[in-house]
Amino acid sequence: LSESQPRELADRVEINDLLIDYCRYIDRAELGSLVALFTENCVVEYGPGAGFSSRGRAVLERDLQRVWRFRRTAHHLSNIQIHFKGMDHASVVSSVMAWHESPDRSTALLYGRYDDDIIRTRAGWRISRRKLTNVGGDPVFDEIFYPGERAPAPAGWSWRPPNP
Amino acid sequence: LSESQPRELADRVEINDLLIDYCRYIDRAELGSLVALFTENCVVEYGPGAGFSSRGRAVLERDLQRVWRFRRTAHHLSNIQIHFKGMDHASVVSSVMAWHESPDRSTALLYGRYDDDIIRTRAGWRISRRKLTNVGGDPVFDEIFYPGERAPAPAGWSWRPPNP
Amino acid sequence: LSESQPRELADRVEINDLLIDYCRYIDRAELGSLVALFTENCVVEYGPGAGFSSRGRAVLERDLQRVWRFRRTAHHLSNIQIHFKGMDHASVVSSVMAWHESPDRSTALLYGRYDDDIIRTRAGWRISRRKLTNVGGDPVFDEIFYPGERAPAPAGWSWRPPNP
């Protein structure tokens, strides 16, 4: 066990709280607080379309005004894995269940994956790069977010229930 | 790093397990075990209606008999943030995805937020105050649970896709 | 606080990452990587039917080819509780929200519980036994997975809203 473990464990708590703050602020539509979780020159990629790839806090804050197309949202984070790359940098993967309610109260769900670079700044840990991929969810999101990766079935595979 | 870190980290594990025990016991409808997670004089507020604001373990156990209106439930907790207020008190926020299945097998989902006061007792950490808010979910829950907070769009805002 | 706490906390991180790797690999349909998370002679029980109870990595890898009946899946893990049974063995309970999308894009949800035995091997922590139970979810899963447990209402119980 390394001498640096106590620090690493404190860092894990801070990074966990940072990722959760993102969920809370987006659901509360507090965009100023939300973008303060990112570095000034962050790169945030949700998808290929205009407004879904934002460079810098100011642009991100403008682009995220799209949250108000929804009546409400709920972002639930899980599957958080933190890999440290030296003292001041972590590569983090997590899963988000993002529920979206439109003004007419129809809903759409996204099961997404965040790939983040998170760095230690003087003000604490901040997200410097985030990329979202669409692991699953309603078809309305097919074209909006980057698709996830999944291995294809082997050639010739077909489903056959095994013998009892 | 403070000297008290090892204790704090052990406390984080215990508090995490306490919150999860709530989810398990409610889904298993084990109300005696469930209310033992609370202090004797706990205050638990789910909503404004009769029976949804319970003071003390005995009243809580009686009020929670409403779980049997459902055929099954599933409570999945995420977004746990623990803030210590001294050695023996923590203020904890978490998110719950609560799935409810009625006897006719129709279902309703709540995306809720728990705001908890959790205190160290001789028997371990216990919930002394819990308030649930309704961040999102099916309309059936609109009037039952306290509404969440969300910032409104700025005056004059209207959605316009950004230029490509 | 025990001397072994730093090791235990490192073990908690490793076990957490192991359980999350299961979710990622199954959603990516990377079956070789998936079964490497288990011990060589693992016992994995999803349900009573043929092919849903697998002994050993090789059989598990064959049986899990059923993932390709789905277009996509998303497994989100929460409610993780780790109980150590000595230095090299942990009994772990967790909850999974498992979303399944068929080729016709219909979907089915399972709210499951994993009961795992996890042991320390030379290569790290591995799952030696996993049992899934069906706490909730769509009726299509009723017969496939083992049912969860839930206490019945007391004799004579009937729902009556409390007096205001």
Side-chain angles (χ1 to χ4, degrees), chain A residues 5 78-79 81 93 111 134-135 137 142 149-151 153 157 159, chain C residues 6 17 21 24 28 65-68 70-72 75 77 99 105:
Chain A
Q5 199 196 36
S78 55
N79 297 7
Q81 288 179 318
V93 185
Y111 301 99
N134 177 346
V135 174
D142 284 1
E149 290 175 28
R150 191 165 189 259
W157 176 84
W159 173 244
Chain C
D17 286 356
D21 277 341
R24 294 213 194 298
R28 297 170 74 101
Q65 293 200 358
R66 64 178 177 266
V67 297
W68 283 299
F70 297 106
R71 182 177 184 270
R72 295 184 298 178
H75 287 71
L77 200 73
W99 174 87
R105 307 211 65 175

PDB file of all heavy atoms in Angstrom, chain A residues 5 78-79 81 93 111 134-135 137 142 149-151 153 157 159, chain C residues 6 17 21 24 28 65-68 70-72 75 77 99 105:
ATOM      1  N   GLN A   5      -1.888   6.801  -0.118  1.00  0.00           N
ATOM      2  CA  GLN A   5      -3.272   6.345  -0.117  1.00  0.00           C
ATOM      3  C   GLN A   5      -4.258   7.307   0.569  1.00  0.00           C
ATOM      4  O   GLN A   5      -5.323   7.551   0.018  1.00  0.00           O
ATOM      5  CB  GLN A   5      -3.397   4.943   0.483  1.00  0.00           C
ATOM      6  CG  GLN A   5      -4.706   4.308   0.067  1.00  0.00           C
ATOM      7  CD  GLN A   5      -5.071   3.107   0.918  1.00  0.00           C
ATOM      8  OE1 GLN A   5      -4.834   3.063   2.106  1.00  0.00           O
ATOM      9  NE2 GLN A   5      -5.651   2.133   0.274  1.00  0.00           N
ATOM     10  N   SER A  78     -24.066   6.351 -11.874  1.00  0.00           N
ATOM     11  CA  SER A  78     -23.603   5.116 -11.235  1.00  0.00           C
ATOM     12  C   SER A  78     -22.378   4.615 -11.979  1.00  0.00           C
ATOM     13  O   SER A  78     -21.866   5.296 -12.874  1.00  0.00           O
ATOM     14  CB  SER A  78     -24.723   4.071 -11.229  1.00  0.00           C
ATOM     15  OG  SER A  78     -25.195   3.849 -12.523  1.00  0.00           O
ATOM     16  N   ASN A  79     -21.880   3.435 -11.572  1.00  0.00           N
ATOM     17  CA  ASN A  79     -20.760   2.798 -12.296  1.00  0.00           C
ATOM     18  C   ASN A  79     -19.543   3.720 -12.408  1.00  0.00           C
ATOM     19  O   ASN A  79     -18.891   3.769 -13.452  1.00  0.00           O
ATOM     20  CB  ASN A  79     -21.206   2.364 -13.705  1.00  0.00           C
ATOM     21  CG  ASN A  79     -22.308   1.317 -13.704  1.00  0.00           C
ATOM     22  OD1 ASN A  79     -22.856   0.975 -12.646  1.00  0.00           O
ATOM     23  ND2 ASN A  79     -22.640   0.803 -14.865  1.00  0.00           N
ATOM     24  N   GLN A  81     -15.864   4.748 -12.102  1.00  0.00           N
ATOM     25  CA  GLN A  81     -14.514   4.167 -11.989  1.00  0.00           C
ATOM     26  C   GLN A  81     -13.490   5.277 -12.179  1.00  0.00           C
ATOM     27  O   GLN A  81     -13.489   5.960 -13.209  1.00  0.00           O
ATOM     28  CB  GLN A  81     -14.291   3.085 -13.045  1.00  0.00           C
ATOM     29  CG  GLN A  81     -15.071   1.804 -12.761  1.00  0.00           C
ATOM     30  CD  GLN A  81     -14.852   0.749 -13.828  1.00  0.00           C
ATOM     31  OE1 GLN A  81     -14.835   1.061 -15.017  1.00  0.00           O
ATOM     32  NE2 GLN A  81     -14.711  -0.500 -13.410  1.00  0.00           N
ATOM     33  N   VAL A  93     -14.605   7.115 -15.728  1.00  0.00           N
ATOM     34  CA  VAL A  93     -15.725   6.632 -16.535  1.00  0.00           C
ATOM     35  C   VAL A  93     -16.921   6.465 -15.606  1.00  0.00           C
ATOM     36  O   VAL A  93     -16.779   6.013 -14.465  1.00  0.00           O
ATOM     37  CB  VAL A  93     -15.388   5.279 -17.196  1.00  0.00           C
ATOM     38  CG1 VAL A  93     -16.511   4.843 -18.138  1.00  0.00           C
ATOM     39  CG2 VAL A  93     -14.082   5.373 -17.962  1.00  0.00           C
ATOM     40  N   TYR A 111     -29.481   6.171 -21.473  1.00  0.00           N
ATOM     41  CA  TYR A 111     -28.496   5.454 -20.673  1.00  0.00           C
ATOM     42  C   TYR A 111     -27.137   5.769 -21.268  1.00  0.00           C
ATOM     43  O   TYR A 111     -26.771   5.227 -22.316  1.00  0.00           O
ATOM     44  CB  TYR A 111     -28.793   3.951 -20.684  1.00  0.00           C
ATOM     45  CG  TYR A 111     -30.173   3.641 -20.145  1.00  0.00           C
ATOM     46  CD1 TYR A 111     -31.245   3.408 -21.002  1.00  0.00           C
ATOM     47  CD2 TYR A 111     -30.405   3.645 -18.782  1.00  0.00           C
ATOM     48  CE1 TYR A 111     -32.510   3.156 -20.499  1.00  0.00           C
ATOM     49  CE2 TYR A 111     -31.676   3.404 -18.272  1.00  0.00           C
ATOM     50  CZ  TYR A 111     -32.722   3.165 -19.135  1.00  0.00           C
ATOM     51  OH  TYR A 111     -33.973   2.935 -18.638  1.00  0.00           O
ATOM     52  N   ASN A 134     -23.855   7.275 -26.113  1.00  0.00           N
ATOM     53  CA  ASN A 134     -25.229   6.777 -25.989  1.00  0.00           C
ATOM     54  C   ASN A 134     -25.185   5.246 -25.961  1.00  0.00           C
ATOM     55  O   ASN A 134     -25.183   4.606 -26.996  1.00  0.00           O
ATOM     56  CB  ASN A 134     -25.999   7.312 -27.207  1.00  0.00           C
ATOM     57  CG  ASN A 134     -27.426   6.833 -27.291  1.00  0.00           C
ATOM     58  OD1 ASN A 134     -27.824   5.899 -26.603  1.00  0.00           O
ATOM     59  ND2 ASN A 134     -28.197   7.467 -28.160  1.00  0.00           N
ATOM     60  N   VAL A 135     -25.157   4.681 -24.761  1.00  0.00           N
ATOM     61  CA  VAL A 135     -25.125   3.219 -24.638  1.00  0.00           C
ATOM     62  C   VAL A 135     -26.499   2.635 -24.949  1.00  0.00           C
ATOM     63  O   VAL A 135     -26.611   1.568 -25.545  1.00  0.00           O
ATOM     64  CB  VAL A 135     -24.655   2.819 -23.217  1.00  0.00           C
ATOM     65  CG1 VAL A 135     -24.752   1.313 -22.999  1.00  0.00           C
ATOM     66  CG2 VAL A 135     -23.234   3.322 -22.969  1.00  0.00           C
ATOM     67  N   GLY A 137     -31.143   3.809 -24.874  1.00  0.00           N
ATOM     68  CA  GLY A 137     -32.137   4.834 -24.618  1.00  0.00           C
ATOM     69  C   GLY A 137     -33.131   4.956 -25.746  1.00  0.00           C
ATOM     70  O   GLY A 137     -33.104   4.180 -26.709  1.00  0.00           O
ATOM     71  N   ASP A 142     -31.036   8.868 -30.874  1.00  0.00           N
ATOM     72  CA  ASP A 142     -30.107   8.160 -31.765  1.00  0.00           C
ATOM     73  C   ASP A 142     -29.143   9.093 -32.478  1.00  0.00           C
ATOM     74  O   ASP A 142     -27.952   8.818 -32.565  1.00  0.00           O
ATOM     75  CB  ASP A 142     -30.883   7.400 -32.856  1.00  0.00           C
ATOM     76  CG  ASP A 142     -31.531   6.130 -32.340  1.00  0.00           C
ATOM     77  OD1 ASP A 142     -31.408   5.823 -31.149  1.00  0.00           O
ATOM     78  OD2 ASP A 142     -32.175   5.446 -33.160  1.00  0.00           O
ATOM     79  N   GLU A 149     -20.160   1.637 -28.066  1.00  0.00           N
ATOM     80  CA  GLU A 149     -19.558   0.529 -28.810  1.00  0.00           C
ATOM     81  C   GLU A 149     -20.063  -0.793 -28.255  1.00  0.00           C
ATOM     82  O   GLU A 149     -20.234  -0.953 -27.049  1.00  0.00           O
ATOM     83  CB  GLU A 149     -18.028   0.555 -28.670  1.00  0.00           C
ATOM     84  CG  GLU A 149     -17.404   1.711 -29.405  1.00  0.00           C
ATOM     85  CD  GLU A 149     -15.906   1.789 -29.158  1.00  0.00           C
ATOM     86  OE1 GLU A 149     -15.292   0.729 -28.896  1.00  0.00           O
ATOM     87  OE2 GLU A 149     -15.360   2.898 -29.211  1.00  0.00           O
ATOM     88  N   ARG A 150     -20.292  -1.745 -29.154  1.00  0.00           N
ATOM     89  CA  ARG A 150     -20.733  -3.077 -28.731  1.00  0.00           C
ATOM     90  C   ARG A 150     -20.200  -4.090 -29.732  1.00  0.00           C
ATOM     91  O   ARG A 150     -20.326  -3.889 -30.938  1.00  0.00           O
ATOM     92  CB  ARG A 150     -22.268  -3.125 -28.684  1.00  0.00           C
ATOM     93  CG  ARG A 150     -22.838  -4.363 -28.009  1.00  0.00           C
ATOM     94  CD  ARG A 150     -24.313  -4.154 -27.690  1.00  0.00           C
ATOM     95  NE  ARG A 150     -24.844  -5.217 -26.862  1.00  0.00           N
ATOM     96  CZ  ARG A 150     -25.584  -6.232 -27.313  1.00  0.00           C
ATOM     97  NH1 ARG A 150     -25.865  -6.328 -28.603  1.00  0.00           N
ATOM     98  NH2 ARG A 150     -26.046  -7.138 -26.472  1.00  0.00           N
ATOM     99  N   ALA A 151     -19.624  -5.164 -29.206  1.00  0.00           N
ATOM    100  CA  ALA A 151     -19.075  -6.202 -30.084  1.00  0.00           C
ATOM    101  C   ALA A 151     -20.220  -6.901 -30.809  1.00  0.00           C
ATOM    102  O   ALA A 151     -21.253  -7.203 -30.206  1.00  0.00           O
ATOM    103  CB  ALA A 151     -18.269  -7.207 -29.266  1.00  0.00           C
ATOM    104  N   ALA A 153     -22.161 -10.085 -32.739  1.00  0.00           N
ATOM    105  CA  ALA A 153     -22.186 -11.537 -32.550  1.00  0.00           C
ATOM    106  C   ALA A 153     -21.172 -12.180 -33.492  1.00  0.00           C
ATOM    107  O   ALA A 153     -20.899 -11.656 -34.578  1.00  0.00           O
ATOM    108  CB  ALA A 153     -23.593 -12.068 -32.829  1.00  0.00           C
ATOM    109  N   TRP A 157     -23.514 -16.841 -35.727  1.00  0.00           N
ATOM    110  CA  TRP A 157     -24.215 -17.017 -34.456  1.00  0.00           C
ATOM    111  C   TRP A 157     -25.715 -16.912 -34.670  1.00  0.00           C
ATOM    112  O   TRP A 157     -26.197 -16.065 -35.413  1.00  0.00           O
ATOM    113  CB  TRP A 157     -23.780 -15.946 -33.461  1.00  0.00           C
ATOM    114  CG  TRP A 157     -24.540 -16.019 -32.160  1.00  0.00           C
ATOM    115  CD1 TRP A 157     -24.259 -16.812 -31.098  1.00  0.00           C
ATOM    116  CD2 TRP A 157     -25.719 -15.286 -31.818  1.00  0.00           C
ATOM    117  NE1 TRP A 157     -25.182 -16.627 -30.111  1.00  0.00           N
ATOM    118  CE2 TRP A 157     -26.104 -15.698 -30.519  1.00  0.00           C
ATOM    119  CE3 TRP A 157     -26.502 -14.347 -32.475  1.00  0.00           C
ATOM    120  CZ2 TRP A 157     -27.220 -15.186 -29.870  1.00  0.00           C
ATOM    121  CZ3 TRP A 157     -27.614 -13.840 -31.836  1.00  0.00           C
ATOM    122  CH2 TRP A 157     -27.964 -14.254 -30.538  1.00  0.00           C
ATOM    123  N   TRP A 159     -29.426 -17.462 -32.146  1.00  0.00           N
ATOM    124  CA  TRP A 159     -29.887 -17.805 -30.805  1.00  0.00           C
ATOM    125  C   TRP A 159     -30.638 -19.131 -30.810  1.00  0.00           C
ATOM    126  O   TRP A 159     -31.567 -19.337 -31.593  1.00  0.00           O
ATOM    127  CB  TRP A 159     -30.798 -16.718 -30.249  1.00  0.00           C
ATOM    128  CG  TRP A 159     -31.398 -17.142 -28.939  1.00  0.00           C
ATOM    129  CD1 TRP A 159     -32.723 -17.344 -28.665  1.00  0.00           C
ATOM    130  CD2 TRP A 159     -30.704 -17.432 -27.726  1.00  0.00           C
ATOM    131  NE1 TRP A 159     -32.874 -17.734 -27.365  1.00  0.00           N
ATOM    132  CE2 TRP A 159     -31.664 -17.806 -26.763  1.00  0.00           C
ATOM    133  CE3 TRP A 159     -29.359 -17.418 -27.364  1.00  0.00           C
ATOM    134  CZ2 TRP A 159     -31.320 -18.166 -25.453  1.00  0.00           C
ATOM    135  CZ3 TRP A 159     -29.029 -17.780 -26.066  1.00  0.00           C
ATOM    136  CH2 TRP A 159     -29.999 -18.143 -25.127  1.00  0.00           C
TER     137      TRP A 159
ATOM    138  N   PRO C   6      -6.416   0.599   5.925  1.00  0.00           N
ATOM    139  CA  PRO C   6      -5.992   1.035   4.589  1.00  0.00           C
ATOM    140  C   PRO C   6      -6.139  -0.070   3.547  1.00  0.00           C
ATOM    141  O   PRO C   6      -6.607   0.168   2.441  1.00  0.00           O
ATOM    142  CB  PRO C   6      -4.533   1.429   4.794  1.00  0.00           C
ATOM    143  CG  PRO C   6      -4.440   1.784   6.245  1.00  0.00           C
ATOM    144  CD  PRO C   6      -5.395   0.856   6.946  1.00  0.00           C
ATOM    145  N   ASP C  17     -14.751  -1.674  -8.528  1.00  0.00           N
ATOM    146  CA  ASP C  17     -14.378  -1.641  -9.950  1.00  0.00           C
ATOM    147  C   ASP C  17     -14.670  -2.969 -10.645  1.00  0.00           C
ATOM    148  O   ASP C  17     -15.062  -2.994 -11.821  1.00  0.00           O
ATOM    149  CB  ASP C  17     -12.894  -1.271 -10.087  1.00  0.00           C
ATOM    150  CG  ASP C  17     -12.639   0.212  -9.812  1.00  0.00           C
ATOM    151  OD1 ASP C  17     -13.607   0.966  -9.587  1.00  0.00           O
ATOM    152  OD2 ASP C  17     -11.457   0.630  -9.813  1.00  0.00           O
ATOM    153  N   ASP C  21     -16.975  -3.390 -13.871  1.00  0.00           N
ATOM    154  CA  ASP C  21     -16.462  -4.010 -15.101  1.00  0.00           C
ATOM    155  C   ASP C  21     -17.472  -5.014 -15.666  1.00  0.00           C
ATOM    156  O   ASP C  21     -17.641  -5.112 -16.884  1.00  0.00           O
ATOM    157  CB  ASP C  21     -15.128  -4.728 -14.822  1.00  0.00           C
ATOM    158  CG  ASP C  21     -13.934  -3.778 -14.843  1.00  0.00           C
ATOM    159  OD1 ASP C  21     -14.041  -2.664 -15.397  1.00  0.00           O
ATOM    160  OD2 ASP C  21     -12.875  -4.151 -14.296  1.00  0.00           O
ATOM    161  N   ARG C  24     -20.000  -3.029 -17.632  1.00  0.00           N
ATOM    162  CA  ARG C  24     -19.459  -2.507 -18.892  1.00  0.00           C
ATOM    163  C   ARG C  24     -19.270  -3.608 -19.924  1.00  0.00           C
ATOM    164  O   ARG C  24     -19.624  -3.455 -21.084  1.00  0.00           O
ATOM    165  CB  ARG C  24     -18.084  -1.878 -18.656  1.00  0.00           C
ATOM    166  CG  ARG C  24     -18.141  -0.664 -17.796  1.00  0.00           C
ATOM    167  CD  ARG C  24     -17.077   0.340 -18.187  1.00  0.00           C
ATOM    168  NE  ARG C  24     -16.974   1.314 -17.116  1.00  0.00           N
ATOM    169  CZ  ARG C  24     -17.971   2.115 -16.747  1.00  0.00           C
ATOM    170  NH1 ARG C  24     -19.134   2.098 -17.386  1.00  0.00           N
ATOM    171  NH2 ARG C  24     -17.797   2.952 -15.746  1.00  0.00           N
ATOM    172  N   ARG C  28     -21.049  -4.082 -23.581  1.00  0.00           N
ATOM    173  CA  ARG C  28     -20.218  -4.046 -24.782  1.00  0.00           C
ATOM    174  C   ARG C  28     -20.137  -5.418 -25.434  1.00  0.00           C
ATOM    175  O   ARG C  28     -19.496  -5.571 -26.477  1.00  0.00           O
ATOM    176  CB  ARG C  28     -18.819  -3.551 -24.429  1.00  0.00           C
ATOM    177  CG  ARG C  28     -18.830  -2.121 -23.899  1.00  0.00           C
ATOM    178  CD  ARG C  28     -17.470  -1.735 -23.338  1.00  0.00           C
ATOM    179  NE  ARG C  28     -16.505  -1.495 -24.375  1.00  0.00           N
ATOM    180  CZ  ARG C  28     -16.138  -0.295 -24.808  1.00  0.00           C
ATOM    181  NH1 ARG C  28     -16.645   0.795 -24.270  1.00  0.00           N
ATOM    182  NH2 ARG C  28     -15.251  -0.166 -25.760  1.00  0.00           N
ATOM    183  N   GLN C  65     -23.751 -15.903 -24.436  1.00  0.00           N
ATOM    184  CA  GLN C  65     -23.970 -15.496 -25.834  1.00  0.00           C
ATOM    185  C   GLN C  65     -25.407 -15.047 -26.055  1.00  0.00           C
ATOM    186  O   GLN C  65     -25.703 -14.420 -27.075  1.00  0.00           O
ATOM    187  CB  GLN C  65     -23.623 -16.651 -26.779  1.00  0.00           C
ATOM    188  CG  GLN C  65     -22.130 -16.984 -26.777  1.00  0.00           C
ATOM    189  CD  GLN C  65     -21.694 -17.752 -28.019  1.00  0.00           C
ATOM    190  OE1 GLN C  65     -22.516 -18.065 -28.874  1.00  0.00           O
ATOM    191  NE2 GLN C  65     -20.406 -18.021 -28.118  1.00  0.00           N
ATOM    192  N   ARG C  66     -26.268 -15.328 -25.082  1.00  0.00           N
ATOM    193  CA  ARG C  66     -27.649 -14.830 -25.231  1.00  0.00           C
ATOM    194  C   ARG C  66     -27.730 -13.309 -25.269  1.00  0.00           C
ATOM    195  O   ARG C  66     -28.766 -12.761 -25.644  1.00  0.00           O
ATOM    196  CB  ARG C  66     -28.537 -15.388 -24.127  1.00  0.00           C
ATOM    197  CG  ARG C  66     -28.161 -14.958 -22.733  1.00  0.00           C
ATOM    198  CD  ARG C  66     -29.146 -15.536 -21.682  1.00  0.00           C
ATOM    199  NE  ARG C  66     -28.752 -15.174 -20.333  1.00  0.00           N
ATOM    200  CZ  ARG C  66     -28.009 -15.923 -19.523  1.00  0.00           C
ATOM    201  NH1 ARG C  66     -27.580 -17.107 -19.940  1.00  0.00           N
ATOM    202  NH2 ARG C  66     -27.692 -15.510 -18.320  1.00  0.00           N
ATOM    203  N   VAL C  67     -26.674 -12.614 -24.893  1.00  0.00           N
ATOM    204  CA  VAL C  67     -26.727 -11.139 -24.970  1.00  0.00           C
ATOM    205  C   VAL C  67     -27.027 -10.654 -26.376  1.00  0.00           C
ATOM    206  O   VAL C  67     -27.586  -9.567 -26.557  1.00  0.00           O
ATOM    207  CB  VAL C  67     -25.426 -10.446 -24.480  1.00  0.00           C
ATOM    208  CG1 VAL C  67     -25.175 -10.744 -23.014  1.00  0.00           C
ATOM    209  CG2 VAL C  67     -24.226 -10.783 -25.341  1.00  0.00           C
ATOM    210  N   TRP C  68     -26.666 -11.453 -27.370  1.00  0.00           N
ATOM    211  CA  TRP C  68     -26.866 -10.992 -28.739  1.00  0.00           C
ATOM    212  C   TRP C  68     -28.299 -11.106 -29.220  1.00  0.00           C
ATOM    213  O   TRP C  68     -28.627 -10.703 -30.326  1.00  0.00           O
ATOM    214  CB  TRP C  68     -25.875 -11.687 -29.690  1.00  0.00           C
ATOM    215  CG  TRP C  68     -24.502 -11.087 -29.575  1.00  0.00           C
ATOM    216  CD1 TRP C  68     -24.146  -9.786 -29.824  1.00  0.00           C
ATOM    217  CD2 TRP C  68     -23.296 -11.753 -29.164  1.00  0.00           C
ATOM    218  NE1 TRP C  68     -22.799  -9.606 -29.593  1.00  0.00           N
ATOM    219  CE2 TRP C  68     -22.247 -10.800 -29.193  1.00  0.00           C
ATOM    220  CE3 TRP C  68     -23.000 -13.065 -28.778  1.00  0.00           C
ATOM    221  CZ2 TRP C  68     -20.933 -11.106 -28.846  1.00  0.00           C
ATOM    222  CZ3 TRP C  68     -21.695 -13.378 -28.442  1.00  0.00           C
ATOM    223  CH2 TRP C  68     -20.670 -12.406 -28.477  1.00  0.00           C
ATOM    224  N   PHE C  70     -30.291  -9.320 -27.906  1.00  0.00           N
ATOM    225  CA  PHE C  70     -30.664  -7.915 -27.729  1.00  0.00           C
ATOM    226  C   PHE C  70     -29.866  -7.021 -28.669  1.00  0.00           C
ATOM    227  O   PHE C  70     -28.705  -7.304 -28.987  1.00  0.00           O
ATOM    228  CB  PHE C  70     -30.427  -7.484 -26.276  1.00  0.00           C
ATOM    229  CG  PHE C  70     -31.289  -8.255 -25.320  1.00  0.00           C
ATOM    230  CD1 PHE C  70     -30.756  -9.247 -24.512  1.00  0.00           C
ATOM    231  CD2 PHE C  70     -32.660  -8.016 -25.274  1.00  0.00           C
ATOM    232  CE1 PHE C  70     -31.563  -9.982 -23.660  1.00  0.00           C
ATOM    233  CE2 PHE C  70     -33.482  -8.744 -24.413  1.00  0.00           C
ATOM    234  CZ  PHE C  70     -32.932  -9.725 -23.608  1.00  0.00           C
ATOM    235  N   ARG C  71     -30.503  -5.954 -29.102  1.00  0.00           N
ATOM    236  CA  ARG C  71     -29.810  -4.932 -29.890  1.00  0.00           C
ATOM    237  C   ARG C  71     -28.811  -4.187 -29.025  1.00  0.00           C
ATOM    238  O   ARG C  71     -27.682  -3.932 -29.419  1.00  0.00           O
ATOM    239  CB  ARG C  71     -30.853  -3.971 -30.452  1.00  0.00           C
ATOM    240  CG  ARG C  71     -30.307  -2.873 -31.332  1.00  0.00           C
ATOM    241  CD  ARG C  71     -31.459  -2.027 -31.876  1.00  0.00           C
ATOM    242  NE  ARG C  71     -30.982  -1.025 -32.808  1.00  0.00           N
ATOM    243  CZ  ARG C  71     -30.600   0.205 -32.460  1.00  0.00           C
ATOM    244  NH1 ARG C  71     -30.650   0.593 -31.213  1.00  0.00           N
ATOM    245  NH2 ARG C  71     -30.167   1.062 -33.377  1.00  0.00           N
ATOM    246  N   ARG C  72     -29.254  -3.811 -27.813  1.00  0.00           N
ATOM    247  CA  ARG C  72     -28.391  -3.138 -26.842  1.00  0.00           C
ATOM    248  C   ARG C  72     -28.865  -3.474 -25.435  1.00  0.00           C
ATOM    249  O   ARG C  72     -30.032  -3.823 -25.231  1.00  0.00           O
ATOM    250  CB  ARG C  72     -28.450  -1.601 -27.018  1.00  0.00           C
ATOM    251  CG  ARG C  72     -27.902  -1.102 -28.333  1.00  0.00           C
ATOM    252  CD  ARG C  72     -27.895   0.423 -28.402  1.00  0.00           C
ATOM    253  NE  ARG C  72     -29.242   0.997 -28.301  1.00  0.00           N
ATOM    254  CZ  ARG C  72     -29.510   2.302 -28.296  1.00  0.00           C
ATOM    255  NH1 ARG C  72     -28.524   3.185 -28.381  1.00  0.00           N
ATOM    256  NH2 ARG C  72     -30.750   2.740 -28.206  1.00  0.00           N
ATOM    257  N   HIS C  75     -26.586  -1.741 -18.133  1.00  0.00           N
ATOM    258  CA  HIS C  75     -26.596  -2.228 -16.749  1.00  0.00           C
ATOM    259  C   HIS C  75     -26.056  -1.130 -15.831  1.00  0.00           C
ATOM    260  O   HIS C  75     -24.880  -0.762 -15.947  1.00  0.00           O
ATOM    261  CB  HIS C  75     -25.730  -3.485 -16.614  1.00  0.00           C
ATOM    262  CG  HIS C  75     -26.343  -4.713 -17.210  1.00  0.00           C
ATOM    263  ND1 HIS C  75     -26.475  -4.893 -18.578  1.00  0.00           N
ATOM    264  CD2 HIS C  75     -26.902  -5.824 -16.634  1.00  0.00           C
ATOM    265  CE1 HIS C  75     -27.066  -6.064 -18.815  1.00  0.00           C
ATOM    266  NE2 HIS C  75     -27.332  -6.644 -17.661  1.00  0.00           N
ATOM    267  N   LEU C  77     -25.402  -0.139 -11.922  1.00  0.00           N
ATOM    268  CA  LEU C  77     -25.285  -0.774 -10.611  1.00  0.00           C
ATOM    269  C   LEU C  77     -25.406   0.258  -9.495  1.00  0.00           C
ATOM    270  O   LEU C  77     -24.884   1.370  -9.595  1.00  0.00           O
ATOM    271  CB  LEU C  77     -23.931  -1.473 -10.519  1.00  0.00           C
ATOM    272  CG  LEU C  77     -23.821  -2.563  -9.461  1.00  0.00           C
ATOM    273  CD1 LEU C  77     -24.601  -3.793  -9.906  1.00  0.00           C
ATOM    274  CD2 LEU C  77     -22.369  -2.924  -9.215  1.00  0.00           C
ATOM    275  N   TRP C  99     -31.461  -2.559 -18.485  1.00  0.00           N
ATOM    276  CA  TRP C  99     -32.323  -2.184 -19.604  1.00  0.00           C
ATOM    277  C   TRP C  99     -31.964  -3.055 -20.797  1.00  0.00           C
ATOM    278  O   TRP C  99     -30.780  -3.225 -21.099  1.00  0.00           O
ATOM    279  CB  TRP C  99     -32.091  -0.702 -19.893  1.00  0.00           C
ATOM    280  CG  TRP C  99     -32.761  -0.119 -21.089  1.00  0.00           C
ATOM    281  CD1 TRP C  99     -34.016   0.412 -21.146  1.00  0.00           C
ATOM    282  CD2 TRP C  99     -32.185   0.063 -22.399  1.00  0.00           C
ATOM    283  NE1 TRP C  99     -34.258   0.910 -22.409  1.00  0.00           N
ATOM    284  CE2 TRP C  99     -33.154   0.704 -23.199  1.00  0.00           C
ATOM    285  CE3 TRP C  99     -30.954  -0.257 -22.973  1.00  0.00           C
ATOM    286  CZ2 TRP C  99     -32.926   1.035 -24.536  1.00  0.00           C
ATOM    287  CZ3 TRP C  99     -30.733   0.064 -24.309  1.00  0.00           C
ATOM    288  CH2 TRP C  99     -31.717   0.702 -25.077  1.00  0.00           C
ATOM    289  N   ARG C 105     -36.716  -2.831 -31.210  1.00  0.00           N
ATOM    290  CA  ARG C 105     -36.599  -1.646 -30.361  1.00  0.00           C
ATOM    291  C   ARG C 105     -37.626  -1.595 -29.236  1.00  0.00           C
ATOM    292  O   ARG C 105     -37.738  -0.563 -28.563  1.00  0.00           O
ATOM    293  CB  ARG C 105     -36.579  -0.350 -31.192  1.00  0.00           C
ATOM    294  CG  ARG C 105     -35.506  -0.428 -32.271  1.00  0.00           C
ATOM    295  CD  ARG C 105     -34.901   0.853 -32.626  1.00  0.00           C
ATOM    296  NE  ARG C 105     -34.142   1.466 -31.539  1.00  0.00           N
ATOM    297  CZ  ARG C 105     -33.437   2.575 -31.661  1.00  0.00           C
ATOM    298  NH1 ARG C 105     -33.402   3.199 -32.830  1.00  0.00           N
ATOM    299  NH2 ARG C 105     -32.776   3.076 -30.652  1.00  0.00           N
TER     300      ARG C 105
END
